[in-house]
Amino acid sequence: MAELEKTAAVDVATTFPRFSSLPAELRLIIWRFALPRRVFEIRRETVCLKQDGEVDVTEDVDHDSWRIRSSDLVAVQLAPPALLNVCREARKFALRSGSWRCVGSHPRGVNRVIRMATWFDPRTDILCFDDSASQLLTRRVTERNGLVTEYTNNPAITRMYFAGSPASPVCVSLAALAGSSGKFLVEQWQRKRGFWSGVPRYLFYHDSILMHLGRSPKVEEFFGKGVDRCHTLLVDAQDYAKLRRLRDLYVEESDSSFFQRRVADWLEDIINLDEGYSEQSYLDLRNLWLKAQDDVSSSAPILSTDQASAQMRSLIEPGAVLHTIQQFNHDDPWCRNVIKAMPDMQLVVHFRLCITNHDESLED
């Protein structure tokens, strides 16, 4: 009897045959919550690992099509959500703002160029990039839809392809503000119709963690599954409960050959309020924003002329030096005015799921 009751409870929890009888307003709300919340990362090097009719060279990964690769960190272009294949009403809802977006092209053979595209929905997806998306290749200045660009491979160029629909949230790494791309982003912020125009929410991250995990239910709880999987996860730095769960996930399920104790301890430090992680991250953000200005008045607001008093953590290994961050006197009138005009940016922690499925079954 108890077993029958348990089975019935499962049926009630997982099926709802009278869904079509719900009012249209309720059905639309359900479809909205069913859309995946994903992050599209813009990275510099774009490669295709598989073409129709070619030998499959991705036997150890659980997805195919296009990938964007830089070093050993790989971000995946987003596939159409599973909601498109549920029914006509769900498909119509998903197509209201989500669609294929061109993000560039890639040479393939002689006199052949392959158009690259990603699915993107500005209502639910976030556009994210770091310093790897910018190269110092000077070209003539171009302008399109109010966006002035000096570098052909600047991440803002990809933003052009998204300009035909409502702007999405944008997340930028501190590393992207440390060099020439930082000056570009600051300059665009000062324009009425620059890169930041219409962006509903601004985010930034100081640190990134690469997760070498399998595809267990616990992993899918965070990153999703199938076409709705998001290989990049941005977690509010104040969401200590979720950060702790991700820390436990890293400790319990990370591939032993890739597991690093210091990364787990590093995550514990982020959660520890006494470490002042958020305070230091915002301090670094303000200093990098100040450094990216073209009109630094004098050396008076600069505290560390040798640029060696602070360090920025690596995107791969915590504690490694990526950039030195010049310190400014934030009480200086010029600094106060610049900081006051900065965008209000939310601090997040960046997690990237390795495209390789590290389930033990694949190793057997």
Side-chain angles (χ1 to χ4, degrees), residues 90-269:
R91 179 178 180 84
K92 182 178 180 181
F93 181 83
L95 289 172
R96 283 185 176 179
S97 64
S99 62
W100 287 106
R101 312 295 175 90
C102 175
V103 291
S105 60
H106 181 70
R108 189 80 177 183
V110 181
N111 298 326
R112 183 184 178 194
V113 176
I114 300 175
R115 180 179 180 271
M116 298 177 297
T118 186
W119 181 271
F120 193 79
D121 188 341
R123 294 177 302 179
T124 58
D125 297 332
I126 297 176
L127 194 62
C128 178
F129 56 90
D130 63 18
D131 64 327
S132 71
S134 177
Q135 292 182 1
L136 299 177
L137 299 179
T138 304
R139 295 288 190 272
R140 63 183 178 86
V141 175
T142 59
E143 182 171 356
R144 178 177 178 182
N145 294 333
L147 178 62
V148 177
T149 306
E150 295 182 357
Y151 304 118
T152 55
N153 289 329
N154 193 284
I157 286 188
T158 301
R159 183 85 162 85
M160 290 182 184
Y161 295 108
F162 294 78
S165 63
S168 67
V170 169
C171 181
V172 58
S173 73
L174 285 186
L177 294 174
S180 60
S181 56
K183 288 185 178 296
F184 174 87
L185 294 172
V186 169
E187 177 185 316
Q188 291 297 316
W189 176 254
Q190 298 169 349
R191 295 178 180 272
K192 292 182 179 179
R193 296 186 60 193
F195 175 82
W196 303 97
S197 176
V199 174
R201 187 159 55 104
Y202 315 103
L203 306 95
F204 79 100
Y205 67 90
H206 199 315
D207 302 296
S208 178
I209 298 172
L210 182 59
M211 311 280 278
H212 294 279
L213 303 173
R215 301 299 183 258
S216 69
K218 286 185 179 180
V219 175
E220 292 177 347
E221 179 184 353
F222 288 100
F223 294 94
K225 59 182 178 180
V227 296
D228 289 342
R229 176 173 293 120
C230 181
H231 284 72
T232 300
L233 188 63
L234 303 174
V235 182
D236 189 332
Q238 303 298 323
D239 192 346
Y240 301 117
K242 190 169 186 178
L243 288 172
R244 186 171 293 279
R245 289 165 57 204
L246 279 162
R247 185 260 183 196
D248 294 340
L249 183 70
Y250 180 85
V251 172
E252 296 170 4
E253 302 206 16
S254 182
D255 190 325
S256 57
S257 59
F258 291 92
F259 177 78
Q260 294 178 329
R261 182 75 244 175
R262 64 181 182 274
V263 174
D265 294 339
W266 176 35
L267 273 171
E268 192 65 38
D269 291 341

Side-chain angles (χ1 to χ4, degrees), residues 61-119:
V61 299
D62 57 354
H63 57 84
D64 51 16
S65 189
W66 296 96
R67 289 145 178 98
I68 302 175
R69 176 184 296 267
S70 177
S71 183
D72 63 339
L73 302 181
V74 182
V76 183
Q77 290 185 270
L78 308 181
L83 200 63
L84 285 177
N85 298 319
V86 174
C87 66
R88 182 179 299 177
E89 182 181 70
R91 179 178 180 84
K92 182 178 180 181
F93 181 83
L95 289 172
R96 283 185 176 179
S97 64
S99 62
W100 287 106
R101 312 295 175 90
C102 175
V103 291
S105 60
H106 181 70
R108 189 80 177 183
V110 181
N111 298 326
R112 183 184 178 194
V113 176
I114 300 175
R115 180 179 180 271
M116 298 177 297
T118 186
W119 181 271

Side-chain angles (χ1 to χ4, degrees), residues 19-61:
F19 177 82
S20 59
S21 300
L22 289 174
E25 308 85 62
L26 290 180
R27 296 200 305 271
L28 293 180
I29 291 175
I30 293 173
W31 294 138
R32 177 165 61 85
F33 280 103
L35 283 173
R37 270 70 179 165
R38 300 180 294 183
V39 180
F40 174 63
E41 282 198 281
I42 302 174
R43 305 191 67 78
R44 182 171 61 195
E45 300 177 33
T46 307
V47 297
C48 178
L49 301 184
K50 179 183 176 182
Q51 279 288 100
D52 293 339
E54 293 183 343
V55 177
D56 187 357
V57 296
T58 59
E59 295 179 354
D60 59 340
V61 299

